[in-house]
Amino acid sequence: HGLVKPTSFRAGGWIADDGVLWALANNDYVADTSAVNWACLEEWDGYTNNALWEYIPDTWAGIDATSQPYYPSTADVGVPGDPSIPILEVPDNACLADYIDAEEMIEILEANWAGEVLEQPEAWSIGFHSVTKNSLYFTHYRPHIEGALDRADEFLAVNDDGPLVYGTLSEMALVWPGSGS
């Protein structure tokens, strides 16, 4: 049907481990965004028998609002390392629209770019679920994304208004080449 093979991935529930990342790398994927700024998911804390909440802060302990792309260590996917798994991990540092609003996403943007000239690339990654016009996402969470992107649009390089450039997850492997390239 003319569709290209996907080259990027995010594990549901951010539960990628070394086995998942190796499987992706061995099948020509170039980037993953399963690492998450887990502090944005505080709503999950306290649920009884919540294995997901126990997994996420343990696996992604070092991931926060300013975490940047890296090639995961073969010993610990939550940190860069050498030797590394040959796939770029792009932390979901602005979480998902389901868990934080536009104001919080904008705060994370500002934590990654203070309005000054950038010496190196900085990533601001926002996640969201696919939508239909009748879904909760469309009516409730879409304004979170729209508000954050409206603010980011004020600083787009294409308009000579700043350094921001939108890109796909797969394109990030071109911006952050390394041992995975």
PDB file of all heavy atoms in Angstrom, residues 28-46:
ATOM      1  N   ASP A  28      15.922  -2.862  12.674  1.00  0.00           N
ATOM      2  CA  ASP A  28      16.164  -1.593  11.982  1.00  0.00           C
ATOM      3  C   ASP A  28      15.362  -0.408  12.490  1.00  0.00           C
ATOM      4  O   ASP A  28      15.172   0.572  11.762  1.00  0.00           O
ATOM      5  CB  ASP A  28      15.963  -1.756  10.465  1.00  0.00           C
ATOM      6  CG  ASP A  28      16.885  -2.811   9.877  1.00  0.00           C
ATOM      7  OD1 ASP A  28      18.047  -2.893  10.324  1.00  0.00           O
ATOM      8  OD2 ASP A  28      16.434  -3.553   8.991  1.00  0.00           O
ATOM      9  N   TYR A  29      14.895  -0.469  13.721  1.00  0.00           N
ATOM     10  CA  TYR A  29      14.315   0.724  14.332  1.00  0.00           C
ATOM     11  C   TYR A  29      15.472   1.616  14.761  1.00  0.00           C
ATOM     12  O   TYR A  29      16.534   1.128  15.144  1.00  0.00           O
ATOM     13  CB  TYR A  29      13.449   0.358  15.539  1.00  0.00           C
ATOM     14  CG  TYR A  29      12.093  -0.169  15.156  1.00  0.00           C
ATOM     15  CD1 TYR A  29      11.947  -1.436  14.607  1.00  0.00           C
ATOM     16  CD2 TYR A  29      10.958   0.606  15.332  1.00  0.00           C
ATOM     17  CE1 TYR A  29      10.700  -1.921  14.238  1.00  0.00           C
ATOM     18  CE2 TYR A  29       9.699   0.125  14.973  1.00  0.00           C
ATOM     19  CZ  TYR A  29       9.589  -1.133  14.420  1.00  0.00           C
ATOM     20  OH  TYR A  29       8.360  -1.611  14.060  1.00  0.00           O
ATOM     21  N   VAL A  30      15.285   2.921  14.685  1.00  0.00           N
ATOM     22  CA  VAL A  30      16.364   3.848  15.020  1.00  0.00           C
ATOM     23  C   VAL A  30      16.116   4.610  16.318  1.00  0.00           C
ATOM     24  O   VAL A  30      17.050   5.162  16.887  1.00  0.00           O
ATOM     25  CB  VAL A  30      16.638   4.843  13.873  1.00  0.00           C
ATOM     26  CG1 VAL A  30      17.080   4.098  12.612  1.00  0.00           C
ATOM     27  CG2 VAL A  30      15.431   5.732  13.585  1.00  0.00           C
ATOM     28  N   ALA A  31      14.847   4.671  16.769  1.00  0.00           N
ATOM     29  CA  ALA A  31      14.550   5.469  17.963  1.00  0.00           C
ATOM     30  C   ALA A  31      13.366   4.885  18.736  1.00  0.00           C
ATOM     31  O   ALA A  31      12.458   4.289  18.159  1.00  0.00           O
ATOM     32  CB  ALA A  31      14.255   6.909  17.572  1.00  0.00           C
ATOM     33  N   ASP A  32      13.419   5.102  20.033  1.00  0.00           N
ATOM     34  CA  ASP A  32      12.363   4.678  20.949  1.00  0.00           C
ATOM     35  C   ASP A  32      12.099   5.821  21.923  1.00  0.00           C
ATOM     36  O   ASP A  32      13.004   6.593  22.241  1.00  0.00           O
ATOM     37  CB  ASP A  32      12.817   3.440  21.727  1.00  0.00           C
ATOM     38  CG  ASP A  32      11.800   3.044  22.779  1.00  0.00           C
ATOM     39  OD1 ASP A  32      10.719   2.555  22.404  1.00  0.00           O
ATOM     40  OD2 ASP A  32      12.084   3.246  23.978  1.00  0.00           O
ATOM     41  N   THR A  33      10.875   5.931  22.403  1.00  0.00           N
ATOM     42  CA  THR A  33      10.546   6.954  23.391  1.00  0.00           C
ATOM     43  C   THR A  33       9.785   6.348  24.566  1.00  0.00           C
ATOM     44  O   THR A  33       8.775   6.882  25.015  1.00  0.00           O
ATOM     45  CB  THR A  33       9.790   8.142  22.754  1.00  0.00           C
ATOM     46  OG1 THR A  33       9.651   9.171  23.732  1.00  0.00           O
ATOM     47  CG2 THR A  33       8.447   7.741  22.207  1.00  0.00           C
ATOM     48  N   SER A  34      10.314   5.249  25.076  1.00  0.00           N
ATOM     49  CA  SER A  34       9.682   4.593  26.217  1.00  0.00           C
ATOM     50  C   SER A  34      10.146   5.161  27.548  1.00  0.00           C
ATOM     51  O   SER A  34       9.464   4.987  28.552  1.00  0.00           O
ATOM     52  CB  SER A  34       9.949   3.085  26.171  1.00  0.00           C
ATOM     53  OG  SER A  34       9.362   2.519  25.020  1.00  0.00           O
ATOM     54  N   ALA A  35      11.293   5.833  27.574  1.00  0.00           N
ATOM     55  CA  ALA A  35      11.736   6.483  28.817  1.00  0.00           C
ATOM     56  C   ALA A  35      10.778   7.627  29.109  1.00  0.00           C
ATOM     57  O   ALA A  35      10.365   8.346  28.210  1.00  0.00           O
ATOM     58  CB  ALA A  35      13.160   7.006  28.659  1.00  0.00           C
ATOM     59  N   VAL A  36      10.417   7.799  30.378  1.00  0.00           N
ATOM     60  CA  VAL A  36       9.405   8.803  30.709  1.00  0.00           C
ATOM     61  C   VAL A  36       9.803   9.611  31.946  1.00  0.00           C
ATOM     62  O   VAL A  36      10.426   9.097  32.873  1.00  0.00           O
ATOM     63  CB  VAL A  36       8.017   8.146  30.920  1.00  0.00           C
ATOM     64  CG1 VAL A  36       8.000   7.230  32.125  1.00  0.00           C
ATOM     65  CG2 VAL A  36       6.907   9.182  30.989  1.00  0.00           C
ATOM     66  N   ASN A  37       9.415  10.862  31.926  1.00  0.00           N
ATOM     67  CA  ASN A  37       9.520  11.746  33.078  1.00  0.00           C
ATOM     68  C   ASN A  37       8.463  11.278  34.077  1.00  0.00           C
ATOM     69  O   ASN A  37       7.367  11.819  34.155  1.00  0.00           O
ATOM     70  CB  ASN A  37       9.290  13.198  32.625  1.00  0.00           C
ATOM     71  CG  ASN A  37       9.299  14.196  33.744  1.00  0.00           C
ATOM     72  OD1 ASN A  37       9.594  13.882  34.885  1.00  0.00           O
ATOM     73  ND2 ASN A  37       8.960  15.426  33.401  1.00  0.00           N
ATOM     74  N   TRP A  38       8.804  10.270  34.828  1.00  0.00           N
ATOM     75  CA  TRP A  38       7.842   9.553  35.666  1.00  0.00           C
ATOM     76  C   TRP A  38       7.225  10.413  36.764  1.00  0.00           C
ATOM     77  O   TRP A  38       6.139  10.110  37.256  1.00  0.00           O
ATOM     78  CB  TRP A  38       8.486   8.299  36.259  1.00  0.00           C
ATOM     79  CG  TRP A  38       9.662   8.593  37.119  1.00  0.00           C
ATOM     80  CD1 TRP A  38      10.964   8.728  36.720  1.00  0.00           C
ATOM     81  CD2 TRP A  38       9.652   8.830  38.511  1.00  0.00           C
ATOM     82  NE1 TRP A  38      11.762   9.029  37.789  1.00  0.00           N
ATOM     83  CE2 TRP A  38      10.972   9.097  38.911  1.00  0.00           C
ATOM     84  CE3 TRP A  38       8.658   8.834  39.488  1.00  0.00           C
ATOM     85  CZ2 TRP A  38      11.332   9.373  40.216  1.00  0.00           C
ATOM     86  CZ3 TRP A  38       9.004   9.115  40.793  1.00  0.00           C
ATOM     87  CH2 TRP A  38      10.339   9.374  41.141  1.00  0.00           C
ATOM     88  N   ALA A  39       7.869  11.510  37.129  1.00  0.00           N
ATOM     89  CA  ALA A  39       7.298  12.369  38.169  1.00  0.00           C
ATOM     90  C   ALA A  39       5.967  12.984  37.724  1.00  0.00           C
ATOM     91  O   ALA A  39       5.158  13.370  38.561  1.00  0.00           O
ATOM     92  CB  ALA A  39       8.284  13.467  38.548  1.00  0.00           C
ATOM     93  N   CYS A  40       5.724  13.033  36.415  1.00  0.00           N
ATOM     94  CA  CYS A  40       4.453  13.557  35.895  1.00  0.00           C
ATOM     95  C   CYS A  40       3.303  12.581  36.096  1.00  0.00           C
ATOM     96  O   CYS A  40       2.147  12.926  35.858  1.00  0.00           O
ATOM     97  CB  CYS A  40       4.575  13.851  34.404  1.00  0.00           C
ATOM     98  SG  CYS A  40       5.688  15.185  34.009  1.00  0.00           S
ATOM     99  N   LEU A  41       3.606  11.377  36.506  1.00  0.00           N
ATOM    100  CA  LEU A  41       2.586  10.336  36.638  1.00  0.00           C
ATOM    101  C   LEU A  41       2.188  10.105  38.096  1.00  0.00           C
ATOM    102  O   LEU A  41       1.739   9.018  38.455  1.00  0.00           O
ATOM    103  CB  LEU A  41       3.112   9.027  36.031  1.00  0.00           C
ATOM    104  CG  LEU A  41       3.611   9.131  34.599  1.00  0.00           C
ATOM    105  CD1 LEU A  41       4.285   7.828  34.180  1.00  0.00           C
ATOM    106  CD2 LEU A  41       2.491   9.491  33.657  1.00  0.00           C
ATOM    107  N   GLU A  42       2.307  11.124  38.908  1.00  0.00           N
ATOM    108  CA  GLU A  42       2.059  10.969  40.342  1.00  0.00           C
ATOM    109  C   GLU A  42       0.652  10.476  40.661  1.00  0.00           C
ATOM    110  O   GLU A  42       0.415   9.930  41.735  1.00  0.00           O
ATOM    111  CB  GLU A  42       2.351  12.268  41.097  1.00  0.00           C
ATOM    112  CG  GLU A  42       1.341  13.384  40.892  1.00  0.00           C
ATOM    113  CD  GLU A  42       1.538  14.216  39.630  1.00  0.00           C
ATOM    114  OE1 GLU A  42       2.498  13.980  38.876  1.00  0.00           O
ATOM    115  OE2 GLU A  42       0.711  15.106  39.391  1.00  0.00           O
ATOM    116  N   GLU A  43      -0.280  10.632  39.711  1.00  0.00           N
ATOM    117  CA  GLU A  43      -1.649  10.142  39.944  1.00  0.00           C
ATOM    118  C   GLU A  43      -1.679   8.635  40.189  1.00  0.00           C
ATOM    119  O   GLU A  43      -2.597   8.117  40.791  1.00  0.00           O
ATOM    120  CB  GLU A  43      -2.550  10.443  38.734  1.00  0.00           C
ATOM    121  CG  GLU A  43      -2.751  11.910  38.461  1.00  0.00           C
ATOM    122  CD  GLU A  43      -1.726  12.474  37.483  1.00  0.00           C
ATOM    123  OE1 GLU A  43      -0.703  11.811  37.186  1.00  0.00           O
ATOM    124  OE2 GLU A  43      -1.936  13.602  37.023  1.00  0.00           O
ATOM    125  N   TRP A  44      -0.664   7.925  39.699  1.00  0.00           N
ATOM    126  CA  TRP A  44      -0.634   6.473  39.823  1.00  0.00           C
ATOM    127  C   TRP A  44      -0.151   5.996  41.184  1.00  0.00           C
ATOM    128  O   TRP A  44      -0.387   4.858  41.566  1.00  0.00           O
ATOM    129  CB  TRP A  44       0.263   5.870  38.759  1.00  0.00           C
ATOM    130  CG  TRP A  44      -0.260   5.979  37.375  1.00  0.00           C
ATOM    131  CD1 TRP A  44      -1.422   6.567  36.958  1.00  0.00           C
ATOM    132  CD2 TRP A  44       0.366   5.486  36.209  1.00  0.00           C
ATOM    133  NE1 TRP A  44      -1.547   6.476  35.598  1.00  0.00           N
ATOM    134  CE2 TRP A  44      -0.450   5.805  35.113  1.00  0.00           C
ATOM    135  CE3 TRP A  44       1.542   4.810  35.972  1.00  0.00           C
ATOM    136  CZ2 TRP A  44      -0.145   5.463  33.806  1.00  0.00           C
ATOM    137  CZ3 TRP A  44       1.863   4.466  34.672  1.00  0.00           C
ATOM    138  CH2 TRP A  44       1.017   4.793  33.612  1.00  0.00           C
ATOM    139  N   ASP A  45       0.566   6.847  41.884  1.00  0.00           N
ATOM    140  CA  ASP A  45       1.125   6.449  43.168  1.00  0.00           C
ATOM    141  C   ASP A  45      -0.001   6.157  44.162  1.00  0.00           C
ATOM    142  O   ASP A  45      -0.980   6.885  44.243  1.00  0.00           O
ATOM    143  CB  ASP A  45       2.017   7.553  43.714  1.00  0.00           C
ATOM    144  CG  ASP A  45       2.847   7.113  44.899  1.00  0.00           C
ATOM    145  OD1 ASP A  45       2.918   5.899  45.173  1.00  0.00           O
ATOM    146  OD2 ASP A  45       3.439   7.991  45.551  1.00  0.00           O
ATOM    147  N   GLY A  46       0.132   5.063  44.897  1.00  0.00           N
ATOM    148  CA  GLY A  46      -0.840   4.727  45.924  1.00  0.00           C
ATOM    149  C   GLY A  46      -1.887   3.717  45.515  1.00  0.00           C
ATOM    150  O   GLY A  46      -2.616   3.220  46.371  1.00  0.00           O
TER     151      GLY A  46
END
